[in-house]
Amino acid sequence: MKNTLCLLFLCLSFIAKAQTALTLQERLGYAKDAKLLIVHADDLAVAHAENQASFQALREGQVTSASIMVPCPWLAEVAAYAKAHPNHDLGLHLTLTSEWKHYKWGPVSDCGDLAGLVDSNGYFYDNCAAFAAGTAPEAVERELRAQIEKAKAMGIEPTHLDSHMGCLFFQNPVLFGIYLKLGREYGIPTLVGKDLLGFLPEPFRQVMTDQDIVIDRIFMANPPDFARGMDQYYTSVLQSLQPGVSEIIIHVAYDNAEMQGVSVDHPDWGAAWRQADYDFFTGETCRKLLKEQGIQLITWREVGKLLKSK
């Protein structure tokens, strides 16, 4: 009987704590029913067309955040932007693949002894599975640290971390653990969503700690969405957005000769796709939807303050 009462007490205590636990939006100082949204542009530094469209969308559109591919050639332009905008919300798009047909890049760190990190030409592999198949975790961590340190040395103070092509999310728990550990060590949030965690096997969830901030939902258009029209996809997302903290991942660039060359034979996430993202998130339709749906735009810089307050 005594054991039964103790168990009942523990269960009631757990339920009470769960009921009184603050939501992420409440921890950020918003109401429980607030719809908070980060509109996030990936792939800065991949091309001049990508940078310029992203800067414009950050200045005048509804884009609130972006992340940088440190190994890519147009990093210096992003660093100059960051210095001119010290309150920027620029994170790092930790990069371990080089997916385009002819436009390639490789490691920031010394690739001489980075076992399995590059192909026979010294470039990153073009897909996550090939990268993860034979790469030593020590090499991955060394490369990611080098990317973070290079960004900081160029005057960029990252507000968050995420993963190019999701390579650190889905391959194995060791890589996911490295990703989370770097966020903790540098004191900045890493992109993780409850929907992502629900999809991942249990070993991935076991590497998480209470230091890791988890947002509610992550949205990103896929090829079928692009085929049906980006306006239709993003309108549907915004009209159905639920209370909590969500992120929409987009890719914005101008559909010009440079970006067409970068993305040749790669229509998915290519130049036309990126122009469509730019058009929607700098357009009036998006602005009106955000207002009509009562959606408040926030940044990763705002989320990161929760870590600094601990």
Side-chain angles (χ1 to χ4, degrees):
M1 181 66 178
K2 184 177 180 181
N3 289 339
T4 302
L5 289 173
C6 288
L7 182 60
L8 178 60
F9 176 76
L10 289 172
C11 289
L12 290 173
S13 297
F14 177 80
I15 293 170
K17 287 181 181 179
Q19 289 175 338
T20 58
L22 294 177
T23 63
L24 181 55
Q25 60 269 32
E26 288 175 304
R27 291 171 61 197
L28 291 168
Y30 295 88
K32 188 174 183 178
D33 62 351
K35 301 177 186 178
L36 306 183
L37 178 64
I38 300 169
V39 180
H40 187 274
D42 275 354
D43 293 3
L44 266 70
V46 77
H48 179 60
E50 189 89 26
N51 288 349
Q52 290 300 309
S54 298
F55 299 158
Q56 184 72 10
L58 285 163
R59 283 193 300 265
E60 299 182 12
Q62 285 76 56
V63 175
T64 60
S65 177
S67 58
I68 307 160
M69 299 174 70
V70 172
C72 291
W74 282 87
L75 176 63
E77 184 177 46
V78 184
Y81 175 87
K83 288 178 182 178
H85 300 81
N87 293 320
H88 64 75
D89 196 69
L90 301 178
L92 299 185
H93 201 41
L94 297 173
T95 301
L96 295 160
T97 48
S98 178
E99 72 273 28
W100 305 112
K101 183 176 181 179
H102 300 306
Y103 182 65
K104 297 292 182 182
W105 50 82
V108 169
S109 54
D110 178 8
C111 63
D113 57 354
L114 293 186
L117 196 59
V118 297
D119 63 19
S120 59
N121 295 314
Y123 299 124
F124 286 136
Y125 292 98
D126 65 3
N127 67 88
C128 296
F131 141 71
T135 303
E138 296 81 5
V140 173
E141 183 169 343
R142 179 175 165 185
E143 170 60 21
L144 297 181
R145 287 185 184 279
Q147 292 182 21
I148 296 169
E149 291 300 326
K150 181 171 182 177
K152 291 172 72 69
M154 295 182 70
I156 301 165
E157 287 298 329
T159 57
H160 61 287
L161 302 175
D162 55 42
S163 174
H164 183 51
M165 297 175 67
C167 291
L168 296 169
F169 296 155
F170 304 112
Q171 299 305 309
N172 61 66
V174 174
L175 297 179
F176 188 55
I178 291 171
Y179 167 68
L180 296 172
K181 181 176 76 169
L182 289 171
R184 293 175 206 137
E185 288 187 13
Y186 284 93
I188 53 178
T190 50
L191 172 62
V192 180
K194 290 180 181 176
D195 46 1
L196 171 66
L197 288 178
F199 174 80
L200 293 173
E202 180 61 26
F204 285 79
R205 294 191 286 275
Q206 291 176 351
V207 300
M208 298 197 67
T209 74
D210 58 4
Q211 296 179 58
D212 304 313
I213 292 175
V214 180
I215 67 171
D216 293 285
R217 288 165 292 275
I218 303 170
F219 299 95
M220 187 176 74
N222 286 298
D225 303 310
F226 177 60
R228 288 189 291 267
M230 289 303 212
D231 283 19
Q232 177 179 327
Y233 172 73
Y234 292 125
T235 296
S236 175
V237 169
L238 295 178
Q239 287 180 336
S240 60
L241 197 71
Q242 297 300 304
V245 179
S246 302
E247 174 169 302
I248 298 179
I249 299 173
I250 63 173
H251 304 78
V252 299
Y254 298 125
D255 185 6
N256 58 17
E258 180 200 22
M259 203 65 216
Q260 290 165 16
V262 167
S263 59
V264 65
D265 293 344
H266 201 300
D268 295 338
W269 291 279
W273 180 307
R274 291 166 191 250
Q275 181 73 60
D277 276 2
Y278 173 85
D279 291 345
F280 183 84
F281 285 97
T282 58
E284 191 59 29
T285 296
C286 178
R287 198 182 309 275
K288 287 181 178 178
L289 279 168
L290 292 170
K291 184 176 181 180
E292 290 169 0
Q293 299 300 317
I295 297 169
Q296 297 172 268
L297 297 178
I298 64 168
T299 65
W300 276 109
R301 181 178 290 277
E302 190 172 345
V303 174
K305 290 179 181 178
L306 293 179
L307 295 178
K308 293 177 174 57
S309 66
K310 289 186 176 182

